[in-house]
Amino acid sequence: MERLKPIIGSCLAKPPLTKSHLQVTALNHSFGPTNILKDIDFCLEQGKVVAIVGPSGCGKTTLLHLCAKLLAVNDGIVDNTFNSFAIAFQEPRLLPWQTALDNIAFGLKAKGINKKQRYQQAVSISKVFGLTPHDLDKYPKDLSGGMRQRVAFARAMVTKPELLFLDEPFSALDIGLKQELQQILVQHVTKKNTTILFITHDLMEAVRLSDEILLLANSPGSIVHRLTLDTPIINRDDQFVYHETAKLLAQPKVIQTFELSMNLNTAVEHEIS
Amino acid sequence: MAAILNIFKNFPRYLWSGWGAIASIFLFIALWELGYQAYGELVLPAPKDTFLRLVNMLLHEGIWKEMQITIQRALWGFVISVTIGSSLGLLAGLFVTTSMMSRPLVTIFMGMPPIAWIVLAMIWFGMGDTAVIFTVVVASFPIVFIGALQGTRTLENNLKEMAESFHAPLLMKIKDIYFPHIFSYIFPSWIAALGMSWKIVVMAELLSSYDGIGAELAVTRSQLDTEGALALVLMLVISLLFIEYFLMEPIKREVEQWRD
């Protein structure tokens, strides 16, 4: 039980909570002999956005799957008191044999909401994400990558989740589309006071969208740096994002985790030779 | 229900798109006529005579009865192979071991020439219905089996995970995720199996039966009745074209419109 005592990143270290929370304590995970995650501790309170940042293959997605109960927790505690959650995956994961409208309504159908109501709700949220009625009749094959991701977001948000898991959903989008979707998401989330666990390998994205950034290092994945950003998300401009990202990039832990200096040195050596 | 309605609604437009196909068929008939003029009646009877003979067969020579027998056999064979092939394929696909074990067996089944099966069937079952239907089943069952097996094996974990993240109940997962995916593999295999049944039934009848279109073909051969033989072939081809383009294709278009 030694490992379970409250440490940094614990909700319990702060005054007692009446709000919902996602509390991860001393979480370890292995696939066979390979240790993927080691001693993960953090707390996500209602209305907050926590970003987990790390290089590819550091166990980010595994951590998200554990939090979302898509994987069984073997070692450690994941305490989730939120009533509902939804996931926006890295790929849209739409059902190719259903129209955009049916895809958006998928989560509502799973909840047992009748057809008329779920279509109504789906149509109304689709407007928020910039989808036209014409798009809603299309099958995913006839939608562009960006459109598909909009549908995937709408599908996740239409269920009005208290907790939203984002698994690098912006990574395949071009920069303009990325910003637009992030903007829509920020507005929607602020309005509904949604809590987000956000996974990304993009530091700038993390700085733009989150209240707390946890840096996950590679093999085995463990949190090596924590950063809290106090400026409200809605008030962050490009200046702020560039400035904070630059500051973060200067951190030795970040440099080490992303193997930045090594790559730079090699580049310089190449240049010299 | 909406799907069936759509099939009927889109049917006229689909028919209208068939002009190109009709043109190419007429071109084929023109080449046939050329062949007739070059080689003479015994080798290749004129298309016109063949068509007239076909009409005559249908009106006066009692070919309907033979046709009915053949259709019945083909359909029985088709239904049996679809039932067995789909269910066994699905079951085999559920487990890695069974799918690995069944692969080589299916290859053997597929690789074995139908003509060899006919010989065996004649020894086992004698002349008649059973031998013909058996041959049809043995030839078309592996096609359906493979389709069902691949459908189950290729179920995507990504979509399953997505459905689980929304806590979709099992019935909904089956209806919205597993079934459409598996069906998209099984349905084309059914069409292929139907075409196969149609061809094999005639061949099996020719060798192992006293009635049916195949047996009629054997008679025309023994009488050197090229015109009669061609008329029968024409009948088979027309009926297959009819099933393929008027029944299967419209259904396929409707159920597969989500495909690239």
Side-chain angles (χ1 to χ4, degrees):
Chain A
M1 291 312 280
E2 182 64 21
R3 293 227 310 271
L4 299 184
K5 70 177 184 209
I7 10 178
I8 339 153
S10 165
C11 302
L12 302 173
K14 295 167 188 166
L17 287 165
T18 45
K19 291 176 177 177
S20 307
H21 66 269
L22 171 74
Q23 167 80 55
V24 174
T25 317
L27 182 68
N28 290 281
H29 197 77
S30 319
F31 287 129
T34 332
N35 217 354
I36 305 289
L37 294 171
K38 192 164 170 284
D39 286 330
I40 305 289
D41 287 278
F42 70 88
C43 176
L44 175 55
E45 287 170 43
Q46 195 182 342
K48 295 283 177 195
V49 180
V50 167
I52 295 174
V53 186
S56 304
C58 70
K60 300 188 296 274
T61 300
T62 309
L63 178 56
L64 183 134
H65 283 190
L66 287 166
C67 293
K69 292 179 191 147
L70 289 177
L71 275 175
V73 176
N74 296 323
D75 185 2
I77 297 172
V78 173
D79 177 29
N80 183 352
T81 61
F82 290 99
N83 289 319
S84 58
F85 70 84
I87 308 179
F89 295 94
Q90 191 169 1
E91 331 80 48
R93 301 201 188 181
L94 304 179
L95 301 178
W97 41 81
Q98 291 191 352
T99 59
L101 182 66
D102 280 315
N103 266 296
I104 295 175
F106 185 86
L108 297 173
K109 191 178 176 189
K111 277 180 158 180
I113 292 167
N114 73 44
K115 200 171 188 167
K116 198 177 157 210
Q117 275 187 341
R118 62 174 190 256
Y119 279 176
Q120 252 169 15
Q121 293 181 33
V123 168
S124 88
I125 195 135
S126 71
K127 287 177 198 147
V128 176
F129 284 93
L131 293 156
T132 65
H134 183 59
D135 294 328
L136 293 181
D137 288 335
K138 287 182 182 167
Y139 287 95
K141 66 159 171 135
D142 297 320
L143 295 169
S144 65
M147 283 294 177
R148 281 182 219 163
Q149 202 57 286
R150 283 168 205 259
V151 172
F153 269 115
R155 178 182 61 191
M157 296 309 296
V158 77
T159 56
K160 301 194 181 74
E162 285 183 13
L163 173 60
L164 181 65
F165 293 106
L166 300 178
D167 185 4
E168 306 196 34
F170 306 110
S171 60
L173 304 175
D174 70 65
I175 191 155
L177 210 58
K178 197 185 266 193
Q179 277 195 352
E180 189 195 332
L181 269 180
Q182 285 173 354
Q183 213 60 42
I184 296 173
L185 197 74
V186 165
Q187 281 164 7
H188 195 78
V189 159
T190 333
K191 217 161 59 186
K192 309 270 172 192
N193 197 27
T194 312
T195 313
I196 299 184
L197 183 65
F198 179 33
I199 282 190
T200 181
H201 57 250
D202 184 339
L203 281 173
M204 213 189 268
E205 208 170 273
V207 169
R208 189 184 297 278
L209 297 175
S210 49
D211 297 303
E212 190 180 358
I213 297 175
L214 307 175
L215 183 67
L216 207 62
N218 227 333
S219 53
S222 53
I223 298 172
V224 291
H225 186 71
R226 292 166 198 265
L227 174 75
T228 311
L229 298 160
D230 293 324
T231 315
I233 294 169
I234 205 102
N235 297 343
R236 293 177 194 174
D237 52 8
D238 286 346
Q239 197 69 39
F240 173 85
V241 173
Y242 296 144
H243 185 69
E244 287 296 326
T245 310
K247 250 172 49 187
L248 196 58
L249 276 170
Q251 293 277 344
K253 288 281 185 197
V254 177
I255 294 170
Q256 204 182 350
T257 307
F258 283 95
E259 296 175 13
L260 288 176
S261 61
M262 210 175 74
N263 290 345
L264 278 179
N265 284 344
T266 354
V268 171
E269 275 163 26
H270 269 288
E271 201 81 342
I272 293 165
S273 63
Chain B
M1 198 52 218
I4 297 171
L5 239 121
N6 260 339
I7 290 174
F8 282 108
K9 213 172 71 191
N10 292 331
F11 196 66
R13 191 166 37 162
Y14 166 65
L15 268 190
W16 189 252
S17 70
W19 285 113
I22 289 170
S24 98
I25 288 173
F26 275 117
L27 187 69
F28 176 75
I29 294 174
L31 284 175
W32 176 2
E33 173 73 29
L34 210 68
Y36 155 67
Q37 285 176 13
Y39 295 104
E41 201 161 338
L42 190 66
V43 176
L44 201 61
K48 186 181 144 223
D49 295 340
T50 313
F51 276 104
L52 286 177
R53 177 66 186 276
L54 176 62
V55 173
N56 195 39
M57 272 182 171
L58 291 174
L59 293 179
H60 308 295
E61 293 179 32
I63 204 76
W64 282 116
K65 212 180 108 249
E66 307 298 327
M67 189 77 181
Q68 204 187 338
I69 293 169
T70 304
I71 290 177
Q72 256 172 23
R73 285 171 177 160
L75 283 184
W76 268 116
F78 173 68
V79 168
I80 293 172
S81 43
V82 158
T83 319
I84 301 179
S86 307
S87 40
L88 284 185
L90 287 178
L91 277 178
L94 288 179
F95 310 100
V96 184
T97 321
T98 45
S99 52
M100 269 171 65
M101 277 176 67
S102 56
R103 273 284 162 103
L105 295 182
V106 171
T107 316
I108 292 174
F109 266 73
M110 295 264 259
M112 186 132 160
I115 201 91
W117 283 115
I118 296 175
V119 174
L120 286 176
M122 280 161 72
I123 297 173
W124 291 339
F125 307 110
M127 306 281 275
D129 281 348
T130 322
V132 176
I133 293 175
F134 172 81
T135 316
V136 171
V137 171
V138 182
S140 43
F141 144 82
I143 303 175
V144 183
F145 182 87
I146 285 278
L149 182 80
Q150 278 179 341
T152 340
R153 292 274 3 122
T154 52
L155 278 174
E156 273 188 67
N157 203 35
N158 274 355
L159 293 180
K160 205 180 109 198
E161 223 172 60
M162 185 279 291
E164 273 160 16
S165 80
F166 284 108
H167 307 289
L170 182 67
L171 199 68
M172 185 176 159
K173 275 197 273 186
I174 291 175
K175 209 175 131 252
D176 285 355
I177 295 182
Y178 302 147
F179 176 75
H181 177 88
I182 292 171
F183 189 72
S184 74
Y185 278 82
I186 275 194
F187 188 69
S189 80
W190 287 357
I191 294 180
L194 186 66
M196 184 62 118
S197 305
W198 214 244
K199 279 182 271 188
I200 297 294
V201 77
V202 178
M203 192 175 79
E205 278 180 348
L206 190 115
L207 292 165
S208 66
S209 164
Y210 299 115
D211 46 14
I213 300 287
E216 286 296 307
L217 260 180
V219 173
T220 57
R221 184 198 63 91
S222 63
Q223 293 171 352
L224 265 183
D225 177 10
T226 327
E227 198 181 271
L230 267 180
L232 287 169
V233 171
L234 209 60
M235 201 158 105
L236 289 167
V237 171
I238 291 174
S239 53
L240 186 63
L241 283 179
F242 187 81
I243 296 177
E244 176 91 33
Y245 286 106
F246 286 79
L247 193 69
M248 289 306 191
E249 186 66 24
I251 298 177
K252 199 170 134 190
R253 277 176 184 235
E254 175 59 28
V255 298
E256 292 193 346
Q257 55 177 324
W258 54 270
R259 291 210 154 191
D260 283 323

